[in-house]
Amino acid sequence: IEQLVAQATRVYTDYDRDAGWPPRLKNRREVRPIDVVRWRVPLPVKKQLDFVALAGSNAQVQDELVGRVQLLGCHVLDHKHAKAATQRVRVCFANYSRNCLIDVVIADGRVERVLRRPSQCHPEAPAEMALAIELASIHPALKDQVEGLEARAILQMPHPRSPYREHRCLLVVFTDQPDPHVERRALYSAIVDLHLQQVIHAGDAP
């Protein structure tokens, strides 16, 4: 603890507190200002659809999208390009049949790279959450208990020794209905394997 306090104090005292904002180090003469980059919504929905269509028209991508496939998202990789047509973006698909993700990198209006990635390398998408909740809600162990409950889903990494450890799985948690005055309890839970399209665990919430 004393060492951490000493380090924090040293960093604090190295700054010139009389120099105002932004903070400056004492005895520092060469100051190079950094331009402020204003954040903008990078990809309107229409532009995202254009990039998804461009990815889907590529022959290599079409070969990878055989089987049960879900679009997970379209993300900007490079914010330096002002025009959407020249932005560098990634379109990500989940191929549940092959148990992997397909990343399509697009730059300057053309497909630059097509990559296979492990199935857990992208956050859960809304469509996946809806599917996982639906499968969990009709599971025999839960369907009579979860009617009328609120449900949420999040990407779940199976245990390293689990036979499902490399599959894309979502944890579904059922809670009481929202109440601004009461903390919601987790009542029931299920783990849904999207590769197998089935519930691999269901029961009371841990």
Side-chain angles (χ1 to χ4, degrees), residues 1-11:
I1 297 298
E2 293 179 356
Q3 184 178 2
L4 293 175
V5 172
Q7 290 175 351
T9 304
R10 183 176 70 253
V11 172

Side-chain angles (χ1 to χ4, degrees), residues 128-138 151-153 170 172 174 192:
E128 293 184 304
M129 297 166 65
L131 174 59
I133 291 172
E134 179 183 0
L135 291 175
S137 299
I138 62 176
R152 295 287 186 272
L170 265 63
V172 179
F174 295 91
V192 179

Side-chain angles (χ1 to χ4, degrees), residues 20-68:
W21 186 265
R24 297 181 182 180
L25 293 173
K26 290 182 178 179
N27 303 320
R28 178 74 177 181
R29 296 182 179 180
E30 297 180 6
V31 179
R32 290 182 292 179
I34 299 176
D35 294 334
V36 177
V37 178
R38 300 296 179 185
W39 178 266
R40 297 186 304 168
V41 176
L43 284 181
V45 173
K46 184 180 182 303
K47 292 297 182 183
Q48 293 185 41
L49 294 176
D50 291 342
F51 282 119
V52 171
L54 177 59
S57 66
N58 180 271
Q60 184 180 356
V61 175
Q62 292 173 359
D63 290 341
E64 294 288 355
L65 301 184
V66 175
R68 290 183 290 106

Side-chain angles (χ1 to χ4, degrees), residues 17 40 114 150 193:
R17 284 178 285 175
R40 297 186 304 168
V114 181
E150 190 83 2
D193 187 323

